[in-house]
Amino acid sequence: GTFVLVFVGTTAVTIGKADVLGIGLAFGLAVTIMAYSVGAISGGHFNPAVTLGMWINKRISGADAIYYVISQFIGAVLASGMVKYFLSAMGASTSNLGQTDFAKISAFPALVTETLVTFLFVLVILLVTSKKYGNANFAGLIIGLTLAFMIIASLNLTGGSLNPARSFGPAILVGGSALAHYWVYVVAPLLGAAIAAFVAKAMGSEE
């Protein structure tokens, strides 16, 4: 699931040269597709931040959460490797693999941005998949659209990651500023997800 998310989204950035709307929809619809395809098998996290929120609210065990996160990072790295391979085959530069970074703002506003959009994203997930408020038929679509809109809102600020694994795949292969700033894309999404877990629980999502 994470492989498809990163592969589809970052090829839209690098090979497809999509605009902001296209990039947001590429990531969002990739999540929707995989949620309906494999969500019934795994719960369809595809994101360590989502897994953290689920673990805090006791919807997944600690052992399973560790396996999920490892799988997410492996999927992201493999996806970025494939993007690099296809760019090389085209004779194109491999210095851009769709990595996330913040060139227009400093680290603190970037941290705030990623925390906020991840908070909103994970809060929607926890509510729409809850027994009390959830809607199993439309959960995948709602989650995908929410991701798309959160990416559109934050793309020109931070690259719109909301996902430590998604940012890790390109950063580890490209290095440079994306790798140096990677800590923001770990700390902020995990913080946003943790806050979302407690807020969702306070709203009754776990009843």
Side-chain angles (χ1 to χ4, degrees), residues 10 12 24 30 51 60 63 66 90 99 107 121 131 153 163 170 175-176 179 193-194 197 202:
T10 57
T51 300
I60 185 173
I66 292 170
M90 294 170 62
Q99 62 267 28
F121 178 53
K131 291 182 179 179
N163 184 334
L179 189 58

Side-chain angles (χ1 to χ4, degrees), residues 6-202:
V6 176
F7 179 73
V8 171
T10 57
T11 51
V13 174
T14 58
I15 297 173
K17 306 294 184 183
D19 59 11
V20 173
L21 177 61
I23 293 168
L25 289 175
F27 280 103
L29 292 177
V31 164
T32 296
I33 291 166
M34 296 315 295
Y36 284 118
S37 299
V38 301
I41 299 171
S42 68
H45 296 188
F46 318 141
N47 182 340
V50 175
T51 300
L52 176 65
M54 293 289 185
W55 175 74
I56 289 173
N57 283 359
K58 299 180 180 179
R59 297 198 199 176
I60 185 173
S61 70
D64 281 347
I66 292 170
Y67 286 126
Y68 275 39
V69 171
I70 292 171
S71 299
Q72 291 155 3
F73 275 88
I74 291 172
V77 172
L78 291 175
S80 293
M82 289 303 300
V83 174
K84 185 174 183 178
Y85 170 75
F86 286 128
L87 286 169
S88 297
M90 294 170 62
S93 171
T94 58
S95 63
N96 178 15
L97 298 181
Q99 62 267 28
T100 52
D101 207 346
F102 45 92
K104 299 178 182 178
I105 57 177
S106 61
F108 184 72
L111 195 72
V112 172
T113 300
E114 285 291 318
T115 300
L116 175 61
V117 292
T118 308
F119 162 75
L120 295 171
F121 178 53
V122 176
L123 181 63
V124 168
I125 291 173
L126 291 171
L127 292 176
V128 80
T129 59
S130 69
K131 291 182 179 179
K132 185 175 182 180
Y133 302 120
N135 187 325
N137 292 328
F138 293 101
L141 178 61
I142 293 167
I143 291 167
L145 288 175
T146 303
L147 178 60
F149 288 129
M150 291 302 105
I151 289 174
I152 290 168
S154 59
L155 188 68
N156 286 325
L157 293 169
T158 61
S161 174
L162 298 79
N163 184 334
R166 175 263 180 269
S167 289
F168 181 79
I172 198 67
L173 296 181
V174 171
S177 178
L179 189 58
H181 291 163
Y182 176 66
W183 66 271
V184 170
Y185 299 97
V186 176
V187 174
L190 295 181
L191 177 60
I195 297 170
F198 289 111
V199 171
K201 188 172 183 179

